[in-house]
Amino acid sequence: MKNLILLLLFISLVSCKEILPKQYWQKGNLHTHSFWSDGDDFPEMILKWYKDNDYQFIALSDHNTMASENYWYKLKERDKQNKVLEKYKNNFGDWVETKKDSNGTFVRLKTFKEYKSKLEDPSFLIIQSEEVTSSFENKPVHINVTNIKEKIEPFKGNSVYQVMQQTLDEVHAQRKKFNIPMFAHINHPNFGYGINVEDLKKLNGERFFELYNGHPMVNNEGDDTHIDLETMWDLINISYYSDKKPLLLGIATDDSHNYHVKSTINSNTGRGWVMVNSQKTETVSLINAMEAGEFYSSSGVLLKTVYSDNEKILVEVEPKKGITYEIIFMGYQKGSFDVVELKRIVGTKSSYTFQEEDLFVRVKISSDDLKVNPYKLGETKQAWIQPVIVK
């Protein structure tokens, strides 16, 4: 009888334990620059760094180019100091093409098709991208287009909003023309404080923006007269929810330009990325997952599990020894004008059960883990989970 009771108890405990679907986290960066625009290294060298550092996908998003033309890059004095050609040849040998004349030393930059064929493999995907770079009255308006097929020229307009909306409309037209998944994301709204909340509220067809950018000049935290990007995110989503638009999703990126000197004054690799829940390292699968909100953004914190259903949202951190984590559930509720804190715990695992008044809920994970190469001194590692509309 005792054995039977123990067996029934064991069966009961097993049946009560929730079995969550398996997750497949793919790490990627969607904002990167090379010699094709204002980066300071060759595309292959940059891609090799990401590949060697366990990224599964990457997009080189140079300004107003798709890296498709014949381009001989002239080495600058800075490049000679950084020994870029020596490093390039050491890694890629006869692949490197150079020529010299009275004007200097030139290196042919490999096109997207060439560097993709050289470095892509089944576990490392290279996605074509362009940073469509425009402005209005000296306010920078930069929009990345992931999986682009035809170059989009920068638009002019009568306002920041109009410049952005024309770009988004062109992205949707191209997506329809080629019948492929592709998306735009708004880059660093606080760079030059060019894009404000009201601009972003008015947009139609925008699903993504940079919640975190690793460039030291992008002002993620705002200043005395400008709000931080996390507050901006919440205010936009309150508006989108009220207007019955799909919620805006937050991306973390490197926006890397500098690959030779690690410093808080440089925009280096490894500062921000997305982790996408996709079983396949394929463009269609990754974009579909991101558009479904099946990803989180990180500046260093890694997560084991992110799960939500009609009743709750659950988070488990991949812990690092000696580090303290806080899991903070934030939500927009009926009758409220702001996103408010719903629950906060110190630990590595927590869940939040949706309440009747909840409209949408998101999660932030903070830590006391200092970044080795931060974009600003004292920066600690964080992660952000996409907002979930409560059914």
Side-chain angles (χ1 to χ4, degrees):
M1 178 62 72
K2 183 179 178 181
N3 288 338
L4 179 61
I5 293 171
L6 290 173
L7 178 61
L8 291 172
L9 179 61
F10 174 77
I11 293 171
S12 175
L13 289 171
V14 170
S15 62
C16 289
K17 185 177 180 181
E18 188 171 26
I19 300 175
L20 302 178
K22 188 173 181 180
Q23 297 182 315
Y24 303 86
W25 296 116
Q26 309 268 4
K27 183 177 182 179
N29 177 39
L30 296 174
H31 192 168
T32 321
H33 296 277
S34 74
F35 277 145
W36 274 101
S37 59
D38 56 349
D40 69 2
D41 210 346
F42 296 99
E44 302 94 308
M45 294 295 290
I46 298 164
L47 294 167
K48 183 180 184 301
W49 185 93
Y50 282 102
K51 190 173 186 178
D52 291 346
N53 283 272
D54 299 322
Y55 284 69
Q56 282 73 55
F57 64 99
I58 185 71
L60 290 186
S61 53
D62 281 301
H63 297 280
N64 296 335
T65 181
M66 288 179 60
S68 57
E69 60 268 27
N70 186 40
Y71 177 31
W72 285 86
Y73 172 80
K74 181 182 176 181
L75 293 179
K76 302 178 176 64
E77 189 59 39
R78 176 194 66 177
D79 303 325
K80 296 173 185 176
Q81 292 172 4
N82 289 330
K83 299 182 179 180
V84 295
L85 184 55
E86 180 182 333
K87 295 173 186 176
Y88 188 31
K89 285 182 174 179
N90 286 342
N91 280 276
F92 292 96
D94 293 340
W95 169 261
V96 179
E97 297 177 65
T98 64
K99 65 181 182 181
K100 289 184 180 181
D101 62 23
S102 58
N103 293 314
T105 301
F106 296 81
V107 184
R108 191 177 78 82
L109 298 188
K110 304 298 183 178
T111 63
F112 169 79
K113 288 183 178 179
E114 288 175 303
Y115 62 67
K116 180 181 175 74
S117 66
K118 182 73 170 176
L119 284 138
E120 188 173 83
D121 62 38
S123 62
F124 184 71
L125 177 69
I126 302 169
I127 305 174
Q128 191 155 34
S129 181
E130 176 194 355
E131 183 169 8
V132 183
T133 306
S134 188
S135 64
F136 172 75
E137 294 183 344
N138 296 319
K139 295 179 179 179
V141 182
H142 298 187
I143 299 177
N144 268 29
V145 186
T146 298
N147 201 31
I148 193 169
K149 296 303 174 190
E150 291 179 344
K151 182 182 174 183
I152 296 176
E153 297 292 343
F155 286 94
K156 296 181 179 179
N158 298 319
S159 66
V160 168
Y161 157 73
Q162 193 177 82
V163 172
M164 289 194 293
Q165 190 61 60
Q166 288 179 103
T167 307
L168 295 179
D169 291 344
E170 181 62 27
V171 172
H172 288 290
Q174 192 174 128
R175 178 173 179 153
K176 184 176 181 180
K177 175 182 176 180
F178 290 100
N179 192 29
I180 57 166
M182 59 187 293
F183 67 83
H185 81 254
I186 304 295
N187 291 344
H188 42 58
N190 278 352
F191 174 56
Y193 295 106
I195 301 172
N196 61 39
V197 170
E198 297 308 314
D199 296 326
L200 290 164
K201 282 181 180 179
K202 290 186 288 187
L203 291 176
N204 289 303
E206 181 52 281
R207 295 297 314 284
F208 304 94
F209 94 130
E210 285 183 347
L211 170 67
Y212 174 95
N213 178 301
H215 195 297
M217 296 174 62
V218 297
N219 306 302
N220 292 324
E221 293 81 14
D223 62 16
D224 292 341
T225 57
H226 299 90
I227 62 174
D228 63 278
L229 296 186
E230 201 167 334
T231 301
M232 183 182 286
W233 191 26
D234 290 335
L235 292 174
I236 294 162
N237 274 335
I238 289 171
S239 175
Y240 280 16
Y241 184 89
S242 299
D243 293 340
K244 295 182 171 55
K245 296 179 184 178
L247 297 185
L248 190 66
L249 307 177
I251 292 176
T253 69
D254 279 341
D255 193 3
S256 50
H257 291 70
N258 309 115
Y259 306 95
H260 304 283
V261 179
K262 300 289 186 181
S263 167
T264 54
I265 65 171
N266 289 328
S267 53
N268 298 139
T269 52
R271 287 178 175 164
W273 59 85
V274 291
M275 298 292 285
V276 183
N277 183 19
S278 169
Q279 191 168 357
K280 297 178 180 178
T281 312
E282 296 175 355
T283 304
V284 171
S285 179
L286 289 164
I287 292 180
N288 287 343
M290 288 190 68
E291 292 186 326
E294 289 285 328
F295 74 100
Y296 69 89
S297 296
S298 178
S299 64
V301 170
L302 297 179
L303 305 179
K304 283 184 182 178
T305 305
V306 178
Y307 174 78
S308 64
D309 55 26
N310 290 337
E311 297 179 353
K312 65 183 178 304
I313 185 166
L314 181 149
V315 182
E316 184 175 4
V317 176
E318 185 75 57
K320 190 175 170 184
K321 188 176 180 180
I323 300 301
T324 300
Y325 299 89
E326 274 195 322
I327 301 174
I328 308 157
F329 297 87
M330 306 289 294
Y332 178 51
Q333 298 181 312
K334 296 173 186 175
S336 177
F337 297 100
D338 299 299
V339 169
V340 298
E341 185 176 311
L342 304 172
K343 179 180 178 181
R344 177 189 294 251
I345 70 109
V346 175
T348 60
K349 185 176 182 180
S350 186
S351 64
Y352 173 78
T353 301
F354 299 134
Q355 304 300 302
E356 188 176 346
E357 62 270 25
D358 293 336
L359 298 175
F360 65 78
V361 175
R362 66 174 178 85
V363 191
K364 177 180 179 179
I365 299 90
S366 61
S367 78
D368 59 2
D369 191 6
L370 286 168
K371 288 177 72 76
V372 174
N373 180 33
Y375 79 94
K376 68 167 194 170
L377 293 175
E379 182 190 0
T380 57
K381 298 177 182 179
Q382 303 178 87
W384 300 266
I385 294 170
Q386 305 310 317
V388 174
I389 293 178
V390 178
K391 304 296 183 183

